[in-house]
Amino acid sequence: STQRHGGSTASFAPKVSALSMFFDDEDLIQHEKVNESVQRLKQAWINEKCSPEILYFEEDVVRQNFDLIDMQEKRTEQLKETNSVQSAFLCDIYHMEIERVKYLLRSYLRLRLWKIDKYAVHIMKENMGERLSEAERQYAAQYFEMKKQHFLDCFLNFMPEKLKTLDEQNANIDMVRAPNLDTHVFCSITDDIGPVDTGGDVPTDLDKNDTYICRYRPLREYLLQGRIHLI
């Protein structure tokens, strides 16, 4: 079933006008850039957190936020040299921004590693390596080989050859743990998609700025295209 909720999702970015008394024009422009980058990272984190499967690694978003951390830390060091009350206040603002970006980055990367650990065999078997970063691909391959070798050393070597596999799938048995793509998710529509078969009696019109709850599977392609956001 599908449920629809009207209205758009509120922005997470703080109002820049409230900080104009403390920031000069250069700082205000930089603050807006930071908010935009953090918002993109936050949405990538929410999508990954709410999606049952591992999504494509947001390499540009991650790299941009790592660069922002370096830039903000350098800016903080520059402000400390002025030794003024306003600079001390700005240092606190920058420090909070740095910490929230670091938290989101750590959480985003840990979440992806958790999915790799849980669905390593599925990811390798379904050739989903293109969704991973280079470091994640190496980790997934090494994790799978270490897990396989551990099971072989513990007990599989003492079993018949036909029982030594870790990825057997047939009508009677399925040894590969896979994500449940039929779980229900909340989503916000960012583009007019039109009627989509979500499993109900009639197709559901996915209209821009509306919010829905429905099965993940029929939304999958639109999430990968960036036409919806999970919430």
Side-chain angles (χ1 to χ4, degrees):
S1 62
T2 303
Q3 295 185 19
R4 173 180 176 179
H5 305 272
S8 59
T9 303
S11 172
F12 293 103
K15 299 296 184 180
V16 174
S17 59
L19 300 174
S20 59
M21 66 180 69
F22 301 104
F23 288 90
D24 56 28
D25 290 342
E26 180 181 351
D27 288 325
L28 284 173
I29 293 174
Q30 184 58 39
H31 192 72
E32 288 180 325
K33 289 181 179 179
V34 169
N35 277 332
E36 181 181 350
S37 298
V38 173
Q39 178 61 27
R40 291 180 63 198
L41 175 61
K42 188 168 188 176
Q43 188 58 61
W45 171 68
I46 293 173
N47 285 345
E48 194 69 60
K49 188 175 181 66
C50 297
S51 168
E53 64 177 341
I54 195 164
L55 302 176
Y56 283 91
F57 179 65
E58 297 282 0
E59 183 174 359
D60 292 341
V61 175
V62 171
R63 182 186 297 113
Q64 185 179 41
N65 279 274
F66 272 119
D67 291 342
L68 280 175
I69 289 175
D70 291 337
M71 184 172 56
Q72 293 290 72
E73 289 178 339
K74 291 177 181 178
R75 179 61 173 156
T76 301
E77 292 301 318
Q78 293 174 350
L79 288 170
K80 288 180 179 178
E81 296 176 358
T82 62
N83 197 28
S84 66
V85 175
Q86 181 174 343
S87 295
F89 175 78
L90 291 178
C91 282
D92 289 340
I93 296 294
Y94 284 132
H95 180 71
M96 286 189 291
E97 287 180 337
I98 291 170
E99 289 305 311
R100 69 169 173 156
V101 174
K102 285 183 177 179
Y103 170 81
L104 286 174
L105 281 171
R106 286 194 295 262
S107 183
Y108 175 70
L109 297 175
R110 279 200 304 263
L111 179 59
R112 291 181 59 82
L113 286 178
W114 176 80
K115 287 185 177 181
I116 292 173
D117 287 348
K118 189 174 183 179
Y119 303 121
V121 179
H122 171 74
I123 291 172
M124 302 297 292
K125 192 176 180 65
E126 297 297 323
N127 297 319
M128 299 175 69
E130 62 180 3
R131 297 192 179 193
L132 310 181
S133 68
E134 180 60 33
E136 289 173 337
R137 280 193 292 271
Q138 294 178 9
Y139 174 82
Q142 293 174 3
Y143 176 83
F144 175 74
E145 289 302 321
M146 291 175 64
K147 184 176 181 180
K148 180 179 179 180
Q149 190 60 48
H150 174 69
F151 286 159
L152 285 170
D153 293 341
C154 288
F155 58 88
L156 289 182
N157 278 332
F158 304 101
M159 301 181 71
E161 192 66 32
K162 65 179 181 179
L163 299 178
K164 290 184 178 182
T165 61
L166 297 177
D167 58 356
E168 184 176 354
Q169 290 178 298
N170 54 50
N172 299 318
I173 187 172
D174 187 353
M175 299 178 63
V176 179
R177 177 187 289 183
N180 179 14
L181 301 184
D182 289 316
T183 188
H184 282 70
V185 295
F186 286 92
C187 65
S188 175
I189 313 301
T190 60
D191 188 19
D192 285 322
I193 296 175
V196 173
D197 182 6
T198 58
D201 296 332
V202 295
T204 302
D205 288 323
L206 301 183
D207 300 324
K208 184 176 180 179
N209 296 327
D210 280 344
T211 302
Y212 298 84
I213 176 174
C214 60
R215 291 184 307 118
Y216 173 79
R217 190 184 297 273
L219 301 176
R220 187 185 191 190
E221 64 175 297
Y222 305 113
L223 176 62
L224 297 178
Q225 294 170 2
R227 302 178 71 184
I228 69 170
H229 290 157
L230 300 185
I231 56 177

